[in-house]
Amino acid sequence: MKIGVIGLGHVGLVSAACFAEVGHHVIGMDHMPERAQDLLDGRVPFFEPGLQELVTSNIQNGRLRFERELRPVVDEAEAIFICVGTPSLPSGEADLSQIEALATELAGCLDGSYRVLVEKSTVPVNTGHQMSRTISRLTDSPFDVVSNPEFLREGSAVEDTLSPDRIVVGGSSERAFTLMREAFEPIVQRSGCKMIETDVKTAELIKHASNAFLATKISFINHIAEVCDKTGANVDLVADGMGLDPRISREFLDAGIGYGGSCFPKDVAAFASVARELTGDSALLEAVQAINARGPKRLIERLRSELWYLKGKRIAVLGLSFKPGTDDLRDSPAFAVIEELLASEAHVCAYDPVAMPAAKERLSPAVGFATSAMDALEDAHAAVIVTAWPEFAELDPVEIRLALHLPIVVDGRNIFPPERMQEAGLTYLSMGRPPVRSD
Ligand code: UGA
């Protein structure tokens, strides 16, 4: 089957490469000239494990190609996946102007042959209806808009796409469902996952509701961590105890400085805006956001409680990306932590295994960068852990103590067992777990 993918960011490029991998012929197109050029040269412009290999091999076997213009994509592809950005407006509402512009452009390219236009970008409920209305005002060509939300996670995007938990398709015509079944058939075959068919609005809501629920779960456990901090209870054990209940599950109950990335912050804000508009009440999601915003502040408070004044102190910041396995810095809690450190006139020395090139472009020139985690720790007055990179958890606590000027580690991701830090003679303050003190 011939598939088109418009918008080649994380969702679009991974989808394009995976559809090609399972045997479809895929044509990708992106309006950003630099991104389009990178892909025409066969280069994946961001870090995602396994993606470069998949793109290279599928270009070579002729199942994946890229175009600069929309028209050849619409001329050839029966199903066109729309994966353009839906960023937040200052109000939190989703900015759908790229979707609207593309709908208009697609209408101009339809030439009488039936096409399925697949909304894959995360969008508020009703966007499919708006798209259909916009396009049908401009063309008589037959088309359907379907919603096919994406559930991939950065860092495991290829695996999540080839072996998804579920595929959700929202549509309103048998013709569209038939093409969508054909598109996903090889993935359903190899993974055995379920394909759920709904109306368009329900599919749109499944996506927003899923991300809002996961973010709520994280803020819920972070709120419990705040209570643990005040009582001496241990949030990890609370999460273990709760998680044994299959109705709750242990997943997404890791306490820390909070969620970041290109999805949860944006989607919770957009869904809060939808909830406010449609029901007059967004208190639940506003509480989720407020708890999340407190995470970096709680981390800095711990540091201040140990070091008294941060002014003039050298602080090692371990981790910059919003989570391990990606160089994505979007809405990373590292920014809030570093801003607060710089505002307090501390000297920041940061290290991240993959995100430093991108971070150098975005962070203040006052931030220093180390060549390794141990290099960042050398002679620092304290270390703060912002991202749970496995290589940080593998550091030897004794070596950490020997490298630091003062034996203080503030862990925003609870990556070390407190007993090991205690044995090494470190003061170790984590999130929602009893503190360990060396003095
Ligand atoms: C998230 C969802 O997990 C995907 O299902 C969804 O498709 C994607 O958004 C999207 O809408 O595109 P992603 O943003 O890649 O995926 O990252 P997650 O692995 O979900 O982590 C998000 C944030 O939550 C990270 O900052 C992570 O550190 C934090 N987190 C996660 C916690 O603080 N605690 C946890 O227990 C789990």
Side-chain angles (χ1 to χ4, degrees):
M1 175 177 179
K2 280 216 164 167
I3 287 178
V5 180
I6 315 299
L8 298 170
H10 248 96
V11 168
L13 188 55
V14 171
S15 303
C18 289
F19 276 133
E21 180 67 12
V22 299
H24 295 303
H25 284 88
V26 183
I27 315 164
M29 185 259 161
D30 196 289
H31 286 91
M32 267 168 64
E34 318 85 71
R35 185 175 287 172
Q37 190 56 54
D38 275 341
L39 289 164
L40 283 163
D41 295 341
R43 257 193 325 271
V44 173
F46 48 81
F47 176 78
E48 180 61 46
L51 184 58
Q52 179 68 64
E53 294 81 340
L54 220 58
V55 167
T56 306
S57 65
N58 283 287
I59 291 175
Q60 278 165 3
N61 68 27
R63 289 204 298 264
L64 178 62
R65 70 171 221 260
F66 299 102
E67 289 284 345
R68 283 185 192 280
E69 304 294 328
L70 186 60
R71 187 166 292 280
V73 182
V74 180
D75 282 350
E76 290 183 48
E78 298 155 271
I80 299 159
F81 286 74
I82 297 167
C83 306
V84 297
T86 52
S88 296
L89 290 168
S91 62
E93 197 185 325
D95 176 358
L96 301 175
S97 54
Q98 290 183 55
I99 298 265
E100 197 232 13
L102 182 57
T104 306
E105 208 184 338
L106 281 166
C109 293
L110 291 170
D111 66 352
S113 312
Y114 175 75
R115 295 288 180 254
V116 178
L117 308 176
V118 189
E119 170 193 90
K120 204 163 189 50
S121 311
T122 300
V123 290
V125 60
N126 253 342
T127 305
H129 168 71
Q130 297 272 31
M131 273 183 68
S132 295
R133 202 176 55 166
T134 303
I135 298 169
S136 51
R137 279 178 182 158
L138 299 169
T139 178
D140 293 329
S141 292
F143 73 93
D144 274 305
V145 171
V146 309
S147 165
N148 167 230
E150 182 51 63
F151 301 103
L152 62 79
R153 291 160 299 173
E154 288 184 25
S156 54
V158 170
E159 162 89 21
D160 289 348
T161 305
L162 292 174
S163 305
D165 303 321
R166 77 288 208 194
I167 293 164
V168 175
V169 176
S172 55
S173 87
E174 196 46 39
R175 199 172 181 188
F177 279 123
T178 304
L179 273 179
M180 292 302 282
R181 283 178 210 130
E182 195 185 329
F184 283 108
E185 154 82 8
I187 293 178
V188 170
Q189 281 293 329
R190 59 192 279 163
S191 66
C193 77
K194 258 202 173 140
M195 181 156 157
I196 299 168
E197 297 182 357
T198 69
D199 61 278
V200 176
K201 289 178 190 178
T202 301
E204 290 170 337
L205 262 173
I206 288 173
K207 170 67 188 195
H208 256 175
S210 299
N211 274 6
F213 184 80
L214 291 172
T216 302
K217 223 177 154 182
I218 297 169
S219 278
F220 185 90
I221 201 66
N222 286 338
H223 195 36
I224 302 294
E226 292 176 322
V227 175
C228 289
D229 282 336
K230 300 288 177 201
T231 55
N234 183 326
V235 74
D236 283 356
L237 300 180
V238 175
D240 291 345
M242 290 169 66
L244 286 171
D245 183 335
R247 293 170 304 174
I248 297 175
S249 116
R250 180 63 175 81
E251 285 193 54
F252 275 67
L253 285 182
D254 289 332
I257 50 171
Y259 60 78
S262 63
C263 305
F264 287 173
K266 164 177 86 73
D267 293 349
V268 173
F271 197 38
S273 160
V274 169
R276 221 171 7 254
E277 190 189 321
L278 299 179
T279 70
D281 180 7
S282 54
L284 174 66
L285 297 173
E286 279 164 25
V288 169
Q289 292 174 299
I291 294 166
N292 200 53
R294 291 202 289 267
K297 295 192 180 84
R298 287 170 57 220
L299 186 109
I300 297 289
E301 270 163 31
R302 278 165 178 62
L303 203 56
R304 215 171 250 133
S305 74
E306 285 307 307
L307 291 176
W308 199 356
Y309 286 98
L310 296 178
K311 184 172 176 175
K313 304 274 167 50
R314 180 181 148 99
I315 310 295
V317 173
L318 298 189
L320 296 167
S321 57
F322 80 96
K323 67 170 190 178
T326 175
D327 64 350
D328 198 337
L329 294 165
R330 285 176 286 179
D331 270 314
S332 170
F335 286 101
V337 169
I338 289 174
E339 257 166 44
E340 191 57 45
L341 289 173
L342 294 179
S344 305
E345 296 180 62
H347 301 298
V348 175
C349 183
Y351 175 72
D352 187 287
V354 299
M356 287 201 299
K360 282 178 186 166
E361 286 172 21
R362 292 192 41 192
L363 285 168
S364 150
V367 174
F369 291 93
T371 52
S372 67
M374 288 312 292
D375 179 35
L377 296 173
E378 202 55 50
D379 218 24
H381 291 86
V384 297
I385 298 165
V386 175
T387 315
W389 281 102
E391 70 169 72
F392 299 158
E394 283 161 16
L395 293 173
D396 179 349
V398 174
E399 283 181 21
I400 296 178
R401 180 176 54 76
L402 292 174
L404 287 168
H405 184 67
L406 296 175
I408 300 167
V409 175
V410 180
D411 184 354
R413 296 292 179 186
N414 291 1
I415 62 173
F416 286 106
E419 320 74 64
R420 283 193 64 214
M421 304 304 261
Q422 184 150 40
E423 281 160 24
L426 286 158
T427 287
Y428 177 64
L429 308 176
S430 49
M431 308 296 274
R433 302 190 298 182
V436 161
R437 294 193 187 282
S438 62
D439 45 20

